[in-house]
């Protein structure tokens, strides 16, 4: 079965053969039907084994068409598949686009199109050949491929598409054989390779590359041409006759790779030749945060040397990669770890969760031991990004769009990064100079920048139509992110002093960022805890504090085996005015109450210590001497305060302690006054 003259033609063998089943018609039927010309249409008379007779399929009576279709399939559909539009072989196009001639140059676009078309036609002809063989096999017909039909198809495709394959049958058959065994390369003309033969040898090429890489001195292409010919004369090499040969050599991809880094720098060469990963951004919020410091791309004015001058600041931004929301930031005069920590803390406080992964820029401050320790706690995984690899930083792309879409609208925009070559990314310095006095002040810039960040966050997310970046973030959930608790906040945000401080009668004092802070331990009623003081004055404590709220600190001790242990909270040391006219009534009440409690504490300690002396027989009164009284406390006050002291709970003691001898008991009693004896009895 094949196409003949635009009609579907079947062979006599296909109609009458019964080797693989019932025949469509007997040979006698065929002879009878062909004898009556009005029934079967013979398109071609049979002329031997390779030239069978062809009958028009559409002339078969319906009963024979039904049998033919049942046995071989629908010829119309099979032929339609064979006649479908010639598709371009995309693999061939890619092959010829990447093809390099011996001199390193590529094929011209016209040749790429020609060879890709020829490859597509050859593929169609080979497929037609295989189909013909398969159909004949199904019909039990072992006759060879009819090449006249293949050649006719080739010419039809030539008229329709304009391919350049051989018109001669023998040459076409050879090209098809060669294409099946050698592939796409057999279609490239040998004339192209010969015309572009390499004319610069290995040694000569190395010399040219060395001159191109030279930095002392730096040669232009024209100077390399002259210098090379000068060297070639001394070494017996052939001289270059034209600049085009040199330019063509240096432009070869494999040659460019050997001098590009010397001319543009390693970073630029890396961007050209190093493979970049194709990555997919996270789909859940808080899965990946990026942190990076950059110039805050807005000028402000500052006063210097008697005039206003433009100035800029640094900003550290933390961004959620999935939603592109600017989560937290910190503005500073220099980029350092302290600014980074504040920005990350702002992001954590806003999010209410720790990120699963935090990627930050590799600035020097992050290499400190305390910085590494803190960053390790800020996320489940914290890591620096690869240095000098901007494409790996999603935040760089977001910064660029933030600048172009939001910051760029302001006339005092500083421009984009120095590597951005667009004219729109450069500031108008003449206009800026003429309007320095109109620039925002530092405080105005501090108020403006949060509004610009909010504008970015409220803009529609590029991959979530109809939703702003902030909506994408707030509506998202990440089950792996850890919610912030008070304990986590304290662990992340509170700082512990590197050295302990001593608690004195003035409380405990630390200095943070050059500012002195003084604390003391208070009772629940807000008064100084004198009992705690009496037990801990002189003791050393580490102080843990929140840099954003210095009103309360935690006092810790440090055990060699167990580390820090919490002791108690301390609050800002209570201060009162020295001058009476400045004192408030509340301060005066505090002074009176505090004086009373101090006296009470003194009496309590005096009585407890005196009882201890007597218990162990070392009291001065037990040895013929007298103890000095408490200064500033009258006898009447002593009695009153002793009565109060007896209400202070103490460790249980025996109901009575007997002296070892009656003489000792009498001696002790004779040396005590009535008042002292009564006071001790009260406690």
């Amino acid at each position: 079965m094949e196409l003949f003259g635009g009609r579907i033609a079947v062979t006599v063998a296909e109609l009458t053969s019964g080797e693989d089943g019932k025949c469509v018609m007997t040979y006698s039927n065929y002879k009878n039907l062909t004898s009556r010309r009005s029934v079967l249409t013979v398109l071609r008379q049979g002329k031997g084994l390779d030239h069978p007779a062809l009958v028009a399929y559409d002339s078969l009576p319906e009963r024979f068409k039904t049998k033919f279709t049942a046995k071989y399939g629908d010829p119309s559909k099979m032929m339609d598949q064979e006649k479908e539009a010639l598709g371009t072989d995309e693999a061939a196009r890619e092959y010829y686009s990447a093809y390099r001639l011996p001199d390193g140059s590529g094929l011209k676009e016209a040749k790429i199109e020609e060879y890709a078309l020829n490859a597509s036609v050859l593929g169609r002809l080979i497929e037609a050949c295989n189909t013909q063989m398969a159909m004949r096999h199904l019909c039990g017909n072992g006759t060879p491929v009819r090449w006249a039909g293949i050649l006719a198809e080739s010419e039809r495709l030539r008229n329709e598409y304009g391919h350049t394959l051989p018109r001669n049958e023998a040459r076409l058959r050879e090209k098809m054989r060669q294409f099946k065994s050698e592939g796409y390369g057999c279609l490239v003309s040998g004339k192209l390779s010969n015309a572009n033969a390499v004319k610069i040898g290995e040694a000569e090429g190395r010399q040219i590359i060395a001159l191109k890489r030279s930095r002392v001195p730096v040669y232009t292409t024209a100077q390399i041409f002259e210098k090379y010919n000068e060297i070639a004369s001394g070494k017996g090499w052939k001289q270059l006759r034209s600049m085009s040969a040199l330019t063509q050599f240096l432009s070869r991809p494999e040659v460019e790779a050997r001098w590009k880094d010397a001319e543009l720098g390693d970073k630029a060469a890396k961007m050209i030749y190093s493979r970049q990963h194709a990555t997919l951004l996270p789909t859940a919020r808080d899965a990946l945060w990026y942190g990076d410091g950059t110039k805050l791309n807005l000028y402000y004015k500052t006063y210097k040397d008697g005039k206003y001058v433009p100035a800029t600041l640094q900003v550290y931004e933390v961004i959620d990669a999935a939603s592109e929301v600017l989560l937290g930031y910190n503005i500073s005069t220099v980029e350092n770890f302290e600014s980074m920590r504040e920005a990350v803390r702002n992001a954590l406080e806003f999010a209410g969760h720790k990120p699963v992964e935090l990627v930050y820029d590799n600035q020097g401050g992050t290499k400190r031991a305390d910085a590494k320790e803190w960053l390790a706690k800020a996320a489940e995984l914290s890591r620096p990004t690869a240095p000098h690899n901007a494409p790996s930083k999603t935040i760089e792309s977001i910064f660029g769009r933030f600048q172009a879409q939001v910051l760029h609208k302001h006339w005092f925009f500083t421009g984009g990064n120095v590597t951005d070559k667009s004219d729109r990314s450069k500031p108008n310095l003449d206009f800026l100079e003429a309007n320095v006095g109109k620039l925002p002040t530092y405080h105005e810039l501090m108020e403006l920048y949060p509004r610009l960040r909010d504008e970015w966050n409220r803009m529609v997310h590029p991959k979530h139509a109809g939703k702003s970046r902030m909506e994408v973030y707030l509506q998202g959930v990440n089950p792996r992110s850890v919610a912030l608790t008070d304990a986590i906040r304290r662990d992340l945000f509170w700082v512990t002093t590197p050295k302990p401080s001593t608690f004195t009668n003035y409380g405990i004092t630390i200095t943070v960022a050059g500012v002195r802070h003084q604390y003391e331990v208070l009772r629940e009623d807000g008064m100084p805890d004198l009992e705690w003081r009496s037990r801990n004055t002189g003791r050393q404590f580490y102080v843990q504090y929140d840099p954003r709220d210095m009103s309360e600190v935690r006092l810790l001790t440090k055990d060699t085996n167990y580390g820090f242990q919490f002791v108690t909270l301390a609050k800002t040391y209570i201060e009162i005015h020295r001058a009476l006219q400045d004192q408030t009534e509340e301060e005066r009440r505090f002074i009176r109450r505090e004086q009373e409690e101090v006296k009470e504490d003194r009496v309590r300690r005096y009585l407890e210590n005196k009882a201890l002396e007597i218990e162990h027989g070392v009291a001065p009164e037990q040895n013929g001497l007298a103890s000095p009284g408490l200064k500033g406390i009258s006898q009447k006050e002593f009695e009153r305060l002793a009565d109060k002291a007896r209400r202070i709970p103490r460790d249980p003691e025996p109901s009575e302690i007997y002296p070892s001898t009656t003489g000792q008991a009498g001696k002790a009693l004779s040396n005590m006054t009535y008042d002292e004896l009564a006071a001790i009895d009260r406690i």
Side-chain angles (χ1 to χ4, degrees):
M1 180 170 54
E2 61 186 79
L3 283 174
F4 188 90
R7 299 173 71 178
I8 300 175
V10 296
T11 65
V12 177
E14 291 169 342
L15 293 172
T16 61
S17 174
E19 293 182 4
D20 53 349
K22 293 182 179 180
C23 60
V24 176
M25 64 177 64
T26 63
Y27 188 75
S28 61
N29 284 143
Y30 168 73
K31 294 300 289 183
N32 289 332
L33 292 174
T34 53
S35 64
R36 292 180 285 172
R37 295 183 180 274
S38 60
V39 180
L40 288 185
T41 302
V42 178
L43 298 175
R44 186 186 67 189
Q45 297 294 329
K47 296 181 180 179
L49 186 61
D50 294 333
H51 204 273
L54 296 177
V55 176
Y57 174 79
D58 56 14
S59 68
L60 291 176
E62 285 301 323
R63 66 181 186 279
F64 295 120
K65 286 182 180 178
T66 302
K67 290 183 177 181
F68 191 95
T69 302
K71 184 173 183 178
Y72 300 117
D74 189 343
S76 298
K77 292 182 179 180
M78 298 173 72
M79 289 298 105
D80 285 343
Q81 292 175 359
E82 200 171 337
K83 291 193 301 180
E84 64 183 2
L86 180 68
T88 302
D89 188 338
E90 291 300 332
R93 182 184 294 279
E94 292 181 12
Y95 175 86
Y96 296 121
S97 296
Y99 190 88
R100 288 294 176 268
L101 296 166
D103 66 345
S105 63
L107 296 173
K108 297 290 191 295
E109 187 63 31
K111 285 296 180 184
I112 294 174
E113 292 294 333
E114 177 188 344
Y115 294 153
L117 174 60
N118 287 351
S120 300
V121 172
L122 284 173
R124 169 61 68 83
L125 297 179
I126 292 172
E127 182 181 346
C129 182
N130 293 337
T131 300
Q132 211 183 113
M133 294 174 65
M135 291 301 298
R136 294 189 177 185
H137 175 73
L138 286 173
C139 298
N141 188 345
T143 58
V145 173
R146 193 178 69 83
W147 286 101
I150 300 298
L151 184 60
E153 177 67 5
S154 176
E155 291 306 309
R156 183 185 71 80
L157 294 173
R158 187 192 309 278
N159 294 333
E160 189 171 349
Y161 298 101
H163 68 76
T164 59
L165 291 171
R167 295 178 181 273
N168 179 272
E169 179 183 324
R171 289 180 57 207
L172 179 62
R173 292 176 64 174
E174 174 59 25
K175 184 58 70 177
M176 290 173 64
R177 183 201 62 76
Q178 190 180 11
F179 185 75
K180 286 195 291 185
S181 61
E182 299 178 15
Y184 299 127
C186 71
L187 295 178
V188 180
S189 172
K191 295 179 180 179
L192 294 176
S193 298
N194 294 334
N196 292 275
V198 178
K199 297 179 181 178
I200 297 177
E202 177 65 22
E204 293 91 332
R206 290 174 62 84
Q207 179 63 67
I208 293 173
I209 293 170
L211 292 173
K212 182 68 175 177
R213 292 186 61 86
S214 174
R215 299 296 91 191
V216 185
V218 177
Y219 293 107
T220 64
T221 304
Q223 290 169 337
I224 292 175
F225 180 78
E226 295 176 1
K227 186 67 176 178
Y228 172 79
N229 282 339
E230 179 184 330
I231 294 172
S233 298
K235 293 189 175 183
W237 295 338
K238 290 183 179 180
Q239 294 194 350
L240 295 175
R241 296 183 179 180
S242 66
M243 284 279 292
S244 61
L246 176 61
T247 303
Q248 187 180 33
F249 174 78
L250 290 173
S251 299
R252 296 181 191 175
E254 73 275 14
V255 173
E256 274 193 352
R258 298 173 67 182
W259 58 260
K260 209 74 171 180
D261 62 315
E263 182 173 84
L264 303 180
D266 177 69
K267 184 177 178 180
K270 177 185 175 184
M271 296 291 292
I272 297 172
Y273 296 109
S274 296
R275 181 185 181 277
Q276 297 294 333
H277 289 295
T279 59
L280 300 174
L281 290 178
T283 55
R285 60 169 276 183
D286 304 327
L288 174 60
W289 287 6
Y290 279 106
D292 198 5
T294 185
K295 181 172 69 175
L296 198 164
N297 296 95
L298 296 173
Y299 286 112
Y300 74 101
K301 64 183 177 183
T302 186
Y303 204 71
K304 184 178 181 181
D305 298 332
K307 62 179 181 180
Y308 282 118
V309 294
T312 59
L313 294 164
Q314 292 286 320
V315 62
Y316 197 96
E317 284 281 5
V318 179
I319 295 175
D320 176 62
S323 64
E324 297 190 346
V325 165
L326 303 176
L327 293 171
Y329 75 102
N330 180 260
I331 296 174
S332 60
T333 55
V334 294
E335 183 181 350
N336 52 31
F337 173 68
E338 284 66 30
S339 177
M340 174 186 180
R341 181 168 56 192
E342 286 299 301
V344 174
R345 175 172 182 175
N346 288 333
L348 289 166
E349 294 283 17
F350 174 80
H353 289 75
K354 292 170 61 175
V356 177
E357 182 179 3
L358 172 63
V359 178
Y360 51 88
D361 61 334
N362 207 24
Q363 54 111 338
T366 59
K367 298 177 182 177
R368 292 168 14 195
D370 61 330
K372 291 180 179 179
E373 180 182 357
W374 189 85
L375 288 167
K377 296 187 295 184
E380 188 174 322
L381 170 65
S382 296
R383 63 178 177 85
T385 189
H388 311 300
N389 193 24
S392 69
K393 303 179 183 178
T394 303
I395 194 170
E396 297 280 1
S397 168
I398 296 175
F399 270 158
R401 286 182 283 128
F402 178 46
Q403 292 169 0
Q405 298 173 23
V406 180
L407 301 184
H408 186 271
K409 294 186 294 186
H410 295 272
W411 65 268
F412 43 91
F413 176 56
T414 66
N417 295 332
V418 293
T419 55
D420 193 340
K421 298 180 181 179
S422 170
D423 290 336
R424 286 176 54 83
S425 70
K426 296 177 174 57
N428 186 335
L429 297 179
D430 292 337
F431 188 83
L432 181 70
E433 184 178 355
N435 294 277
V436 171
K438 303 292 194 308
L439 288 171
T441 64
Y442 172 82
H443 295 290
E444 289 171 340
L445 185 61
M446 294 301 100
E447 293 177 358
L448 173 64
Y449 189 69
R451 296 201 299 269
L452 299 180
R453 296 176 74 256
D454 184 59
E455 180 181 346
W456 167 267
N457 287 342
R458 287 186 287 104
M459 293 171 69
V460 175
H461 192 286
K463 294 185 178 180
H464 295 268
K467 288 188 178 181
S468 70
R469 294 182 173 92
M470 186 59 73
E471 287 175 328
V472 172
Y473 183 78
L474 294 179
Q475 293 173 9
V477 176
N478 189 336
R480 279 197 59 182
S481 62
V482 178
L484 293 186
T485 62
D486 289 340
I488 292 176
R489 282 189 172 90
R490 190 163 54 242
D491 186 44
L492 278 175
F493 305 146
W494 289 49
V495 180
T496 303
T497 55
K499 294 181 180 180
S501 301
T502 303
F503 194 98
T504 68
N505 58 338
Y506 281 99
I508 193 165
T509 303
I510 61 172
T511 300
V512 178
V515 179
R516 182 175 177 273
H517 299 272
Q518 187 177 0
Y519 300 94
E520 64 178 324
V521 178
L522 304 179
R523 298 195 307 259
E524 290 184 2
D525 60 0
M527 292 298 293
D529 192 335
L530 300 182
E531 182 183 356
W532 189 91
R533 274 175 166 268
S534 67
R535 289 184 283 106
N536 290 281
T537 297
R539 195 184 304 278
Q540 288 193 325
F541 298 96
Y542 290 88
V543 180
Q544 190 178 58
Y545 60 91
D546 182 352
R548 293 189 180 180
D549 182 7
M550 300 294 293
S551 62
E552 183 178 78
V553 298
R554 304 172 81 237
L555 303 185
L556 315 174
T557 57
K558 190 174 184 180
D559 184 86
T560 305
N561 297 321
Y562 301 103
F564 290 111
Q565 294 176 304
F566 171 72
V567 177
T568 189
L569 292 174
K571 296 185 180 293
T572 301
Y573 203 90
I574 298 174
E575 295 179 333
I576 57 175
H577 289 92
R578 185 183 295 258
L580 290 176
Q581 72 173 34
D582 296 330
Q583 290 178 358
T584 64
E585 182 58 34
E586 184 179 354
E587 287 180 329
R588 284 191 285 271
R589 283 198 300 269
F590 172 81
I591 292 171
R592 289 193 296 270
R593 184 176 177 183
E594 200 264 348
Q595 286 176 341
E596 172 74 8
E597 291 188 3
V598 167
K599 288 181 180 180
E600 182 181 335
D601 187 59
R602 289 176 63 196
V603 169
R604 179 183 57 78
R605 285 200 310 273
Y606 177 84
L607 295 176
E608 288 179 350
N609 293 337
K610 181 61 65 178
L612 179 67
E613 290 176 355
I614 293 172
E615 178 185 347
H616 293 279
V618 296
E621 289 77 6
Q622 292 173 304
N623 295 281
L625 301 173
S627 298
L630 295 176
K631 304 299 181 183
I633 299 178
S634 66
Q635 186 64 35
K636 187 175 181 180
E637 275 189 310
F638 183 88
E639 292 285 344
R640 179 177 61 81
L641 294 173
D643 284 337
K644 291 182 68 175
R646 67 182 293 193
R647 294 195 295 270
I648 300 175
R650 297 183 297 124
D651 294 337
E653 297 180 357
S655 59
E656 186 174 2
I657 299 176
Y658 292 95
S660 56
T661 64
T662 56
Q664 288 178 344
K667 180 67 174 177
L669 290 173
S670 65
N671 288 329
M672 284 190 177
T673 65
Y674 172 79
D675 294 332
E676 290 172 336
L677 183 62
I680 293 175
D681 286 342
R682 288 188 179 95
I683 66 169

